[in-house]
């Protein structure tokens, strides 16, 4: 009996288990069939609206700013050189690197012993030349006196010859007397010729002495200048640099021992491209004197000076491009020659233009305009200048248009957007309100009550649904979750 009871219990449990497995399989099969026979749930599709930053194209007059880099240089720079060689006898205390001097200050004195000795020798030679000139003048006077005496003797000899000939004609004189008189006259003529040659020689001696005296006077001037050149003075007010000499040293002729720079008369040289240079020309092709500003950032402190363009380089250097321009600075406190500065040049003003972010203009020079129904359309513009992160465009027929300030790959023609004004906050559009019938309201409240939401959220949504008018967006969202 005991075995039979246990056997029946096992059969019973097996039958119950098989029945439960069959029931579970039927439930699974029914659920799968019901799921496959269901109609697919449909969700309402809504157009995607993108929020964009916009700005309005307002025509205005803008002065473009051209930014380049340049180097400061002094308009007055002088190499200090020694005209003569010698030992440095003394030097000014200001003859050091960075020393400040005034015009006429004595900078350097070279030992003048050699120069003064040369001057003394030249003066002695000058005295010799002056004595030679005086001696030549006295010799000329004597030669002229001797010539006068010879001419007087010639006249007497001519008179004697005339008497001898007259006597011979009358038969009183002899032929021998006439010949003697002729010989005497001829000798007197030769004496006159000799004295004339002596006078000519004396005059030539005076000319030579005069030339020698002139040479010695020139040598005297050079010797005096050499003595003066033993002292080097400052030609103008300025600052010394590259000083390479000190007292006791020795310099050679034409050796540069320092450089004098005027730091108050600075100019800036900078290079611009050919297209930028063309924008700085007037209608006659002449470079305009455009105003500019020069800045130098020194440890967070900006040094600034103003000026204007004065001239341009005569030729383009080998291996260079563009044009080299020079500008004179009005005031240059704190600047020094050699500073690498930023130059900002004011170009001629542009009319009927607008300044917009560079992100608003596409590479093909188009912008996105917010049109009707807040949909985008493409408009063509003309890019005139680039100003850092901004650009200047020609407004043209787009005056007053609202354009997208920051383009992205998601934006294009026909896209609907929500404009955000510059500096403003996006304003949410007022929700559309609808009135629910009681049956529809009850279904929505029941869905929210049975849903898996926090209690505070349920209370807030139910309070909205119990109002007379409910947001259509809230109703659409809940019904989409309900699958109806």
């Amino acid at each position: 009996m005991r075995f039979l009871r246990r056997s029946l219990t096992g059969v019973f449990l097996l039958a119950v288990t098989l029945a439960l497995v069959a029931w579970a399989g039927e439930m699974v099969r029914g659920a799968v069939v019901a799921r496959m026979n269901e109609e697919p749930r449909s969700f309402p599709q809504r157009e995607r609206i993108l929020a964009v930053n916009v700005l309005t194209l307002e025509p205005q007059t803008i002065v473009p700013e051209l930014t380049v880099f340049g180097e400061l240089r002094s308009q007055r720079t002088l190499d200090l050189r020694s005209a003569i060689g010698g030992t440095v006898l003394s030097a000014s205390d200001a003859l050091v690197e960075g020393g400040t001097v005034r015009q006429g200050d004595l900078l350097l004195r070279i030992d003048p012993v050699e120069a003064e000795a040369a001057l003394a020798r030249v003066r002695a030679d000058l005295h010799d030349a002056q004595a030679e000139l005086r001696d030549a003048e006295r010799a000329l006077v004597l030669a002229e006196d001797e010539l006068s005496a010879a001419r007087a003797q010639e006249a007497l000899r001519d008179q004697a010859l005339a008497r001898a000939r007259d006597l011979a004609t009358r038969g009183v004189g002899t032929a021998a007397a006439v010949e003697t008189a002729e010989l005497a006259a001829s000798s007197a003529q030769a004496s006159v010729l000799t004295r004339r040659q002596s006078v000519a020689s004396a005059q030539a001696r005076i000319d030579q002495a005069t030339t020698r005296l002139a040479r010695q006077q020139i040598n005297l001037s050079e010797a005096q200048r050499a003595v003066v050149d033993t002292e080097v003075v400052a030609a103008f007010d300025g600052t010394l640099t590259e000083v390479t000499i000190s007292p006791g040293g020795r310099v050679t002729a034409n050796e540069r021992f320092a450089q004098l720079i005027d730091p108050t008369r600075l100019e800036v040289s900078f290079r611009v491209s050919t297209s930028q240079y063309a924008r700085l020309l007037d209608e006659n092709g002449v470079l305009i004197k455009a105003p500019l500003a020069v800045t130098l950032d020194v440890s967070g402190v900006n040094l600034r000076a103003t000026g204007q363009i004065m001239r341009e380089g005569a030729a383009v250097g080998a291996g260079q491009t563009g044009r080299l321009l020079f500008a004179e600075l009005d005031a240059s406190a704190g600047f020094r020659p050699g500073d690498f500065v930023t130059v900002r040049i004011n170009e001629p003003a542009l009319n009927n233009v607008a300044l917009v972010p560079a992100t608003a203009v596409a590479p093909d020079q188009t912008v996105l305009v917010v049109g009707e129904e807040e949909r985008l359309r493409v408009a063509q513009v003309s890019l005139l200048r680039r100003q850092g992160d901004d650009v200047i465009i020609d407004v043209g027929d787009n005056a007053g248009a609202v354009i997208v300030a920051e383009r992205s790959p998601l934006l294009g023609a026909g896209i609907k957007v929500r404009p955000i004004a510059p500096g403003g906050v996006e304003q949410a559009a007022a929700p559309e309100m609808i009135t629910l019938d009681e049956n529809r309201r009850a279904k929505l409240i029941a869905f929210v009550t049975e849903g898996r939401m926090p209690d505070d959220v349920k209370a807030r949504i139910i309070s909205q649904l119990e109002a007379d008018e409910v947001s259509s967006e809230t109703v659409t969202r809940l019904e989409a979750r309900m699958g109806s």
Side-chain angles (χ1 to χ4, degrees), residues 59-80:
Q60 54 184 319
T61 299
I62 299 178
V63 178
E65 188 177 74
L66 174 62
T67 302
V68 294
F69 298 97
E71 183 180 4
L72 293 184
R73 48 186 289 178
S74 177
Q75 292 181 336
R76 291 203 301 180
T77 301
L78 177 64
D79 288 340
L80 299 180

Side-chain angles (χ1 to χ4, degrees), residues 145-173:
D145 292 342
E146 291 177 350
L147 177 60
S148 299
R151 285 176 176 173
Q153 188 176 7
E154 180 186 12
L156 293 175
R157 296 296 183 183
D158 290 340
Q159 292 176 3
L161 176 60
R163 283 194 304 271
R165 287 176 178 175
D166 183 56
L167 292 175
T169 302
R170 290 183 295 174
V172 178

Side-chain angles (χ1 to χ4, degrees), residues 213-237:
L213 178 61
R215 289 195 182 100
Q216 294 303 325
Q217 289 175 343
I218 294 174
N219 293 336
L220 177 63
S221 299
E222 292 179 350
Q224 290 174 342
R225 185 169 60 252
V227 173
V228 174
D229 288 341
T230 58
E231 296 182 352
V232 181
V233 298
F236 53 83
D237 299 349

Side-chain angles (χ1 to χ4, degrees), residues 196-218:
R196 288 178 61 188
Q197 290 178 349
S198 298
V199 170
S201 299
Q203 290 176 343
R205 183 182 176 187
I206 289 177
D207 293 339
Q208 293 176 356
T210 302
T211 303
R212 181 182 177 187
L213 178 61
R215 289 195 182 100
Q216 294 303 325
Q217 289 175 343
I218 294 174

Side-chain angles (χ1 to χ4, degrees), residues 60-64 347-354 384-385 392-393:
Q60 54 184 319
T61 299
I62 299 178
V63 178
E347 299 182 17
L350 300 176
N351 298 320
N352 195 31
V353 296
L384 302 179
R385 301 285 191 278
I392 299 177
I393 61 174

Side-chain angles (χ1 to χ4, degrees), residues 251-285:
V251 294
T252 59
N254 201 37
E255 177 185 353
R256 192 185 80 167
F257 61 86
Q259 190 177 52
L260 181 61
I261 298 176
D262 187 354
T264 62
R265 297 184 58 181
L266 295 181
E267 65 179 10
V268 58
S269 62
F270 54 92
R271 187 172 295 275
V272 297
S273 65
T274 305
S275 59
Q276 293 171 340
Y277 169 77
R279 298 201 296 262
L280 298 176
L281 301 179
D282 58 13
E283 60 276 5
N284 297 323

